[in-house]
Amino acid sequence: MRKALFHAIAISALGASALAGLAFWPDASVSAKEVESSPRAEAQPSRHWGYEGAEGPEFWGELASEFSQCSIGTQQSPIDLKRAGAIDANLDELAFNYQPTPLDIVNNGHTIQVNYAPGSTLTLDGQTYDLLQFHFHDPSEHTVDGEPHPMEAHLVHKNSTTGDLTVVGIFLDIGAENEALQTVWEAMPREAGPAFAVADVKLNAMDLLPANTQDFYRYSGSLTTPPCSEIVNWIVMKEPVEVSFQQVERFAATVGENARPTQASNRRFVLD
């Protein structure tokens, strides 16, 4: 239902002429070398899970003992971010230090993920977090005042000392084609399989960030996929970035809807 609404809005805005090109997406026939999945990628649980039916989000906690937090956790993500309830906390600024990385991409059956080379960091509360990977959800997992966005990107960072994660969420709204993401989209694997490096192609995650990186929501939560571990500092940018309708459609045709529904906030503070 949510997806149908996004499509109706976009179709109305673009008109039939723009839609005529949807069938002509380029093949991901790029020069690539298959490699083993990057150790910087998140470990995938062994028990199969998904977004529909008996393996969908409402049943994750029952699929395996290591997924129990998905059902019994009290700080689960995503959540609905209520603007009126957010606390003005005069948050410290975020310090992004991202470097270009060779394009190492994987369709893991749940999302499209780009594994990031060592050397790029985010500094938060005086702690340094290494950028491990980024991936995408359709529609957005977080909502704002009950309203989802067409997509959401998650940039996953890890503190090598504590093991804690900081995930930066970026809303993607329909507008102009996103040139930085198009580099990823052109290499997007159509089928699930091992990660591969794309020869002579680099990108920089700085190009994925909104212009205003210091206006954000912050709260304590969890991974939004099994095992739903409650070890995440969530930073969700208020300013969205634009992607084209065709880019949203390409992801939807490749991966499908892959958003966990919002979870109970359980009186957690959301700071802004």
Side-chain angles (χ1 to χ4, degrees), residues 149 151 170-173 208-211 237-242:
H149 291 254
M151 290 186 67
I170 303 171
F171 293 126
L172 307 181
D173 281 356
L208 306 179
L209 299 174
M237 296 292 173
K238 292 184 180 181
E239 180 181 328
V241 302
E242 290 187 356

Side-chain angles (χ1 to χ4, degrees), residues 140-157:
S140 71
E141 296 201 299
H142 291 92
T143 58
V144 180
D145 292 335
E147 295 296 325
H149 291 254
M151 290 186 67
E152 184 175 346
H154 288 166
L155 283 67
V156 181
H157 310 72

